[in-house]
Amino acid sequence: MDIRHNVSLREYSTMRLGGTATHLTEVNSRDELRQAAAWAEERRLPAVVIGGGSNIIWRDDGFPGLVIVNKIMGFEMRQEGHDFYITVGAGENWDSVVERAVAQGLTGVEALSLIPGTAGATPIQNVGAYGQEIARTLVSVEAYDSETRQMTTIVGEDCAFGYRTSRFKTTDRGRFFITAVMLRLTRANPEPPFYPAVQQYLVGHEIQQPTPAIIREAVIAIRRAKLPDPARVANNGSFFANPVVDQAAFNRLQATYSDLPSWPTTHGRVKLSAAWLLEQAGFKDVHDEATGMATWPTQPLVLVNERATSTTQLLAFRQKILDAVEQKFGIRLEQEPEILP
Ligand code: NAP
């Protein structure tokens, strides 16, 4: 095991902020992961497992323990009737997984194209985009349980998936070190309705019967046009989740804001557009002198680190947004990226 000491964590978050980790190691197999976990346990140090760093923010104090970077690879496919079961190592780049699935003509994850990060991170916040979410295709998660110190398999039904959430970021935050995910996909063409941006692409390209590959192309084109590439621009993707409110709250808001974008969800609740709330609260294409943070011109939900040098600055900018939205609409936005530790 190669353990490095006093490692800057900026390279381990696409927001490129945060202090140093006391210790950091990369693991390439389940055995190495167990060894790393044991190394930390023996020293009574906290341990955390990370993937690509695209949805995490480190505090300026850094991490006083062992950061384990998950590089466990693998891509296995098995067919059972019409279903294709794909087992993917948690350290695999998520978009490569989508690319490989789509190349086989499989549907189920094509709308999740170009989402940054690793496959193992997708269940944590139940990654979703353009009408698909990982909860719908995920069969099970394989993980090291840091409480029992055993490997375990958790089926999708037991992951407590919700809108951009799961037990892995709520009740069991930090407990399971995910080593693999199993997905169930089918060989078929994606069915409408498609999200407006995707539908527009299909109409513009005169496509009547989209294949998974075409939906992937569409999503890549839409995302490239609208979102910054985290390899070039420091960001964590959408910083806030869309709020879901009850009907009474929605009615109250709509009485004042008749153009409020909304979508019905389950249990009579209504999803609102966090991006619209931010824009209305004055955060469209904002470049904040005091903190060095900005909102991305074509998508205000993406907070961009232009010149910030500390997480404290990012959090101050976040606070300005939270307060402005709450003051105007009475809604407290939920943050998507996880702050560690
Ligand atoms: P967009 O296409 O401009 O749409 C804006 C919002 O409208 C989205 O948040 C989306 O909700 C909602 N929406 C649009 N059409 C809808 C429909 N037919 N039914 C229900 N809701 C609808 O969104 P964007 O900000 O550019 O993002 C594109 C997609 O990537 C979205 O699906 C977004 O959620 C997703 N995304 C996900 C993550 C993540 O998982 N962390 C991060 C970044 C972006 P939904 O958000 O529920 O789809």
Side-chain angles (χ1 to χ4, degrees), residues 124-311:
I124 296 175
Q125 62 149 339
N126 184 16
V127 156
Y130 304 103
Q132 280 181 349
E133 58 179 19
I134 197 72
R136 270 204 260 149
T137 43
L138 186 129
V139 177
S140 60
V141 166
E142 179 202 81
Y144 173 80
D145 181 345
S146 64
E147 277 183 15
T148 63
R149 299 176 189 178
Q150 303 285 329
M151 293 299 294
T152 183
T153 298
I154 304 166
V155 295
E157 295 77 40
D158 292 339
C159 291
F161 284 128
Y163 184 59
R164 304 283 184 273
T165 189
S166 75
R167 67 189 283 186
F168 307 114
K169 70 178 267 193
T170 54
T171 49
D172 285 317
R173 182 174 184 257
R175 172 176 168 185
F176 295 104
F177 301 168
I178 297 174
T179 48
V181 294
M182 187 196 273
L183 309 174
R184 180 171 47 231
L185 306 176
T186 51
R187 191 167 275 155
N189 281 336
E191 295 285 344
F194 301 108
Y195 263 35
V198 175
Q199 185 60 36
Q200 233 174 347
Y201 179 97
L202 298 177
V203 171
H205 289 75
E206 296 179 13
I207 295 160
Q208 260 96 46
Q209 183 57 269
T211 58
I214 288 171
I215 296 295
R216 174 169 165 78
E217 265 174 44
V219 168
I220 289 175
I222 296 162
R223 290 187 74 106
R224 286 218 170 113
K226 198 168 166 185
L227 299 171
D229 174 1
R232 293 189 305 109
V233 179
N235 79 92
N236 277 142
S238 290
F239 202 87
F240 302 104
N242 288 326
V244 178
V245 299
D246 61 29
Q247 192 69 41
F250 171 68
N251 291 344
R252 268 197 310 277
L253 283 165
Q254 212 197 20
T256 314
Y257 305 99
S258 56
D259 53 346
L260 177 74
S262 65
W263 298 268
T265 66
T266 49
H267 310 296
R269 292 167 70 78
V270 183
K271 180 175 74 179
L272 307 177
S273 163
W276 188 88
L277 299 174
L278 251 72
E279 276 195 35
Q280 299 297 310
F283 284 92
K284 188 179 168 60
D285 199 6
V286 160
H287 301 262
D288 189 51
E289 279 297 316
T291 61
M293 293 294 304
T295 55
W296 190 245
T298 46
Q299 174 47 288
L301 274 189
V302 178
L303 306 195
V304 172
N305 170 10
E306 289 186 322
R307 297 178 290 98
T309 50
S310 70
T311 300

Side-chain angles (χ1 to χ4, degrees), residues 49-67:
V49 175
I50 63 162
S54 55
N55 207 40
I56 51 177
I57 294 159
W58 300 102
R59 291 189 193 277
D60 293 324
D61 291 346
F63 189 75
L66 177 65
V67 173

Side-chain angles (χ1 to χ4, degrees), residues 82-151:
H82 292 296
D83 293 330
F84 289 75
Y85 291 85
I86 297 186
T87 304
V88 189
E92 289 281 347
N93 172 275
W94 171 250
D95 189 54
S96 310
V97 172
V98 176
E99 186 180 27
R100 288 164 85 172
V102 164
Q104 298 288 329
L106 302 179
T107 183
V109 289
E110 62 279 2
L112 308 180
S113 290
L114 220 60
I115 290 182
T118 56
T122 57
I124 296 175
Q125 62 149 339
N126 184 16
V127 156
Y130 304 103
Q132 280 181 349
E133 58 179 19
I134 197 72
R136 270 204 260 149
T137 43
L138 186 129
V139 177
S140 60
V141 166
E142 179 202 81
Y144 173 80
D145 181 345
S146 64
E147 277 183 15
T148 63
R149 299 176 189 178
Q150 303 285 329
M151 293 299 294

